Amino acid sequence: MEPTENFFRSIIEASPFPVYMCMGPDKLIAIANDATLKAWGKDKSIIGKPFDEALPDLQGQPFSSLISEVYRTGETYHGNNAPAEFIINGKRQINYYKFTYQAVRNSRGKIVGVICFSTDVTEIEHARQAMEESRHTLYNMVRQAPVGICIINSDNLVIEVVNDSYLELVGRKRAEMENRGVWEAIPETAELYAPVMDNVIETGQPITAKEHKLLLVRNGIPEMVFIDFVYEPVKGFDGEISAIMVIAIDVTEKVFARRKIEEAEERARLAVEAAEIGTFDLDLVTDEILTSERFNIIFGVGRDAPRDLFLKALHPDDVELRNNAHKTALTTGKLFYEARIIWPNGSIRWIRTQGKVYYGSVNKPLRILGTLLDITEFKHLQQQKDDFISVASHELKTPMTSIKASMQLLDRLIKVDPSSDKIPQFISRGNSSLNKMQQLVDSLLNVSKITAGQLALHKTRFLAAQMINECCDHVRLAGTHELELTGYTDLELYADRQRIDQVVVNFVNNAVKYAPDSNRIVINISKQDNMAKISVQDFGRGIPPENIPHLFERYYRVDTSGIQYSGLGLGLYISAEIIELHGGEMGVESEVDKGSTFWFTIPLN
Ligand code: ADP
């Protein structure tokens, strides 16, 4: 049995897709199923009416003329995602359709009408448009972003979008990047990053990296840079990865700046270490103190000592001074004081504390950061200098008073008895005081020359014994001590005669001065290998062993406890410098109450 027309009609009616048929050149609507009427927003009354009359909404849209064209040519027309605009319930509405217009022929093959099959693709189209729009927004965001962003197609690794910041970062022009393969555009990064990108595409897991060191060829010039970056997979609306978004920030300056700070810190730390400065951080709220290792060493205590221990170590006489300094610091913002501390072993040390107060809100002092220095040596030196100044003034005053007295006496004598035989006696007394003063001043000048490194040597050849005999004449003349010259009396020296003379005189004068009760002084000349050795031995009070290491220091004078010896404490210091300049050595052997032997060696040539 042939299927009837009714049979076909019922199939068309049942179709959930819009199907309709127009007949003849006027396109009379012969069939329009429910899906069609629903799409058009019409009812069955339009059936039998010409297409243009039934659907005035579609005027100006291509459908009517497309149907006429198919009716005329018989060629099927395919429409894809075509928008169709209707007024439905008074509202303008656009739907999208995928459709075909196909000619309908009679049994003789003549075209009698056009049938349309269509699918509503509005939802898909809307989704596509939304995707398109969000992509567009994304691209706009990318373009304006202050960080470098580049979007790479994950199928072919072609750069789809790249912003100016990224171009600047990699030192490329837009034309060198856009629509080109990423590894072709920046080949120097391929080796390192191609596997990373492949991995992101494969796993869908983003990757971030911080301060990645990278050699970039920027505008033709290779540069070492540091970059923070992210490879972020971008998914399409089908959920598949469609692109990789690379976000990159050049952090080279930040890295360098941080390194500079680190280096500066390291330098400061080294300086603090080299200068043996202790540091502390005192929390004024909790009263806790953090101290460096050096701080504890200066206090003579172990690590992690509690604050109490530091406070207890303060010399009782300096506690108030320290408390006042801390009180003042809270208002001035600066802490400074010098105080004595007592080490666990009982010895007294000097410290200098300096600090800066840090304030919180409402000017509340929160903490003090500061440094600590051991200034014991410095204080000793200062003390020695102070002592020295008083000693020096005293030493100069004695001959000066004597000169003044001689002058006054002379003045009176000349007026009373100009031919008095006492006149030469006073003149000679004055002269000898002047000589003493000159010697003192010479010593002082020698010291400043030594400190300035200006003590120059004028070497000549001379006989040691001859030099010793001449320079010790004054001792023989004084008659208090007997000089014995022993040993290698023919030895010839090559040295600065005047300076060596000075050293021997200093030894001999000390022997006289510090051995007043014995009358023997032995001077011995000997030869050891290529060195000459001259020693001066006395049989006086000797020197306690603990004082010996300091003898050759500037301004050093053994505490004579009660017994007054004149002297500046400079003679041995100057002597030691002279011997050192000659390339020799100086030393002493001494025993208390037995006597001392001061000696020096100098090279023979
Ligand atoms: P001064 O004699 O001017 O004080 P010196 O530098 O010559 O300075 O000597 C330093 C110290 O060494 C002296 O103060 C003294 O205490 C000690 N000294 C030097 N020579 C002797 C000696 N022969 N016997 C004992 N003590 C000495």
Side-chain angles (χ1 to χ4, degrees):
M1 194 186 78
E2 281 278 302
T4 62
E5 194 186 323
N6 268 342
F7 176 72
F8 286 115
R9 264 182 194 275
S10 58
I11 289 177
I12 288 171
E13 282 302 342
S15 161
F17 303 105
V19 182
Y20 62 90
M21 187 160 77
C22 301
M23 304 298 289
D26 291 334
K27 297 169 278 188
L28 297 176
I29 300 169
I31 301 172
N33 68 356
D34 282 350
T36 304
L37 295 175
K38 196 175 164 221
W40 287 348
K42 308 285 179 210
D43 57 28
K44 280 202 185 315
S45 66
I46 56 141
I47 293 181
K49 287 189 182 165
F51 187 86
D52 293 339
E53 192 186 311
L55 299 159
D57 302 2
L58 292 182
Q59 239 180 40
Q61 297 184 49
F63 307 106
S64 172
S65 47
L66 281 171
I67 296 172
S68 302
E69 187 67 9
V70 174
Y71 184 80
R72 200 172 55 78
T73 61
E75 267 172 41
T76 304
Y77 178 84
H78 297 279
N80 241 337
N81 303 349
E85 202 179 316
F86 294 97
I87 312 280
I88 292 168
N89 299 329
K91 264 201 202 149
R92 235 174 109 246
Q93 193 178 317
I94 299 177
N95 282 344
Y96 293 86
Y97 294 97
K98 204 173 177 166
F99 65 93
T100 50
Y101 286 157
Q102 240 171 297
V104 179
R105 295 168 198 268
N106 62 15
S107 51
R108 277 168 283 130
K110 186 178 180 290
I111 297 173
V112 290
V114 174
I115 188 161
C116 172
F117 301 95
S118 59
T119 324
D120 187 333
V121 293
T122 310
E123 270 178 32
I124 297 170
E125 179 60 19
H126 280 168
R128 197 190 59 78
Q129 279 179 3
M131 276 298 293
E132 195 65 19
E133 237 166 67
S134 62
R135 211 179 180 101
H136 197 72
T137 328
L138 175 69
Y139 284 11
N140 267 341
M141 269 166 49
V142 165
R143 286 212 175 84
Q144 289 154 15
V147 294
I149 300 182
C150 174
I151 295 178
I152 296 157
N153 186 313
S154 57
D155 290 334
N156 51 18
L157 299 184
V158 164
I159 298 167
E160 289 182 356
V161 188
V162 56
N163 69 359
D164 289 345
S165 308
Y166 198 93
L167 293 174
E168 197 184 315
L169 189 142
V170 294
R172 299 294 203 283
K173 298 208 169 52
R174 186 166 289 280
E176 294 172 299
M177 298 278 289
E178 225 161 38
N179 301 319
R180 295 184 69 167
V182 59
W183 307 130
E184 176 198 342
I186 18 177
E188 69 268 28
T189 60
E191 193 186 335
L192 209 56
Y193 296 106
V196 178
M197 187 165 308
D198 290 347
N199 187 45
V200 174
I201 295 171
E202 212 171 283
T203 63
Q205 294 299 316
I207 277 187
T208 48
K210 286 231 168 293
E211 294 178 6
H212 231 241
K213 195 174 170 187
L214 173 67
L215 185 79
L216 267 182
V217 184
R218 279 169 161 170
N219 302 312
I221 302 156
E223 266 178 72
M224 193 54 86
V225 294
F226 290 87
I227 287 178
D228 284 358
F229 71 84
V230 182
Y231 280 1
E232 181 79 39
V234 180
K235 288 183 178 154
F237 78 103
D238 52 1
E240 292 288 310
I241 292 170
S242 64
I244 299 295
M245 178 156 78
V246 182
I247 303 174
I249 307 170
D250 185 342
V251 291
T252 313
E253 272 177 33
K254 187 181 98 182
V255 171
F256 281 154
R258 199 193 52 230
R259 285 199 178 167
K260 260 192 200 154
I261 292 171
E262 282 168 0
E263 275 167 25
E265 262 173 10
E266 173 74 4
R267 269 201 300 273
R269 201 179 55 74
L270 287 177
V272 163
E273 253 170 40
E276 302 192 337
I277 298 173
T279 55
F280 68 89
D281 183 347
L282 172 63
D283 189 324
L284 294 170
V285 182
T286 63
D287 220 28
E288 271 168 35
I289 192 166
L290 277 177
T291 57
S292 68
E293 208 178 322
R294 171 64 56 186
F295 186 101
N296 292 25
I297 292 173
I298 293 174
F299 264 87
V301 300
R303 274 163 180 256
D304 303 323
R307 184 156 186 238
D308 276 13
L309 210 64
F310 299 123
L311 290 173
K312 277 192 201 133
L314 271 170
H315 193 288
D317 293 352
D318 291 346
V319 169
E320 199 183 326
L321 177 146
R322 177 260 169 211
N323 291 348
N324 286 340
H326 269 267
K327 223 179 271 168
T328 316
L330 298 185
T331 45
T332 61
K334 281 195 180 132
L335 174 72
F336 181 88
Y337 68 90
E338 290 179 357
R340 283 160 295 173
I341 54 170
I342 305 169
W343 268 13
N345 68 9
S347 66
I348 292 179
R349 312 287 301 175
W350 274 94
I351 54 158
R352 176 184 297 154
T353 308
Q354 259 171 306
K356 194 176 167 209
V357 184
Y358 289 83
Y359 298 88
S361 56
V362 289
N363 271 348
K364 183 176 163 33
L366 294 182
R367 61 203 277 225
I368 303 181
L369 288 186
T371 58
L372 181 82
L373 214 55
D374 184 327
I375 54 162
T376 313
E377 295 301 313
F378 170 77
K379 280 284 179 188
H380 280 169
L381 203 65
Q382 214 175 32
Q383 187 60 46
Q384 275 180 1
K385 263 197 168 168
D386 290 348
D387 291 352
F388 169 72
I389 288 168
S390 73
V391 168
S393 332
H394 184 78
E395 290 292 305
L396 283 167
K397 217 171 154 194
T398 315
M400 237 164 68
T401 319
S402 152
I403 292 168
K404 210 170 159 191
S406 302
M407 293 298 280
Q408 277 169 351
L409 283 171
L410 272 174
D411 191 41
R412 223 178 291 158
L413 209 60
I414 286 167
K415 277 179 199 152
V416 182
D417 180 9
S419 56
S420 166
D421 55 356
K422 283 192 176 154
I423 289 175
Q425 202 186 320
F426 284 122
I427 290 181
S428 124
R429 211 183 279 172
N431 256 337
S432 105
S433 294
L434 258 179
N435 278 340
K436 235 184 220 160
M437 271 181 80
Q438 197 184 353
Q439 272 171 18
L440 289 169
V441 171
D442 275 350
S443 294
L444 292 176
L445 287 177
N446 276 332
V447 171
S448 28
K449 268 191 190 163
I450 289 168
T451 342
Q454 285 167 347
L455 200 71
L457 297 181
H458 304 284
K459 289 187 185 176
T460 53
R461 286 189 193 285
F462 57 91
L463 282 174
Q466 196 182 352
M467 182 262 310
I468 291 166
N469 275 327
E470 280 174 24
C471 75
C472 294
D473 259 356
H474 66 287
V475 179
R476 285 204 185 90
L477 284 173
T480 53
H481 289 74
E482 214 150 278
L483 285 179
E484 284 174 44
L485 185 57
T486 60
Y488 205 138
T489 44
D490 292 340
L491 192 65
E492 196 184 58
L493 302 179
Y494 178 64
D496 185 323
R497 181 173 173 153
Q498 215 188 321
R499 297 285 176 204
I500 297 296
D501 184 310
Q502 202 179 333
V503 176
V504 176
V505 168
N506 186 46
F507 282 6
V508 171
N509 283 351
N510 278 347
V512 170
K513 197 158 58 169
Y514 300 107
D517 302 332
S518 77
N519 65 349
R520 226 180 123 211
I521 295 171
V522 182
I523 305 177
N524 183 60
I525 308 170
S526 64
K527 195 181 147 204
Q528 295 179 346
D529 300 327
N530 207 23
M531 306 291 272
K533 181 174 181 179
I534 294 175
S535 58
V536 176
Q537 186 182 11
D538 67 56
F539 303 89
R541 48 199 294 265
I543 304 159
E546 67 271 21
N547 295 334
I548 289 181
H550 303 291
L551 284 184
F552 306 131
E553 284 171 11
R554 199 165 20 155
Y555 314 136
Y556 184 82
R557 308 191 65 223
V558 175
D559 182 9
T560 47
S561 46
I563 314 163
Q564 279 294 324
Y565 293 99
S566 66
L568 295 176
L570 288 177
L572 290 180
Y573 166 69
I574 295 171
S575 300
E577 291 292 324
I578 290 170
I579 298 304
E580 198 188 316
L581 270 181
H582 276 87
E585 268 184 72
M586 189 165 132
V588 60
E589 281 101 39
S590 185
E591 217 177 308
V592 175
D593 294 336
K594 292 252 165 82
S596 317
T597 305
F598 281 85
W599 56 263
F600 69 83
T601 61
I602 50 169
L604 280 170
N605 39 50

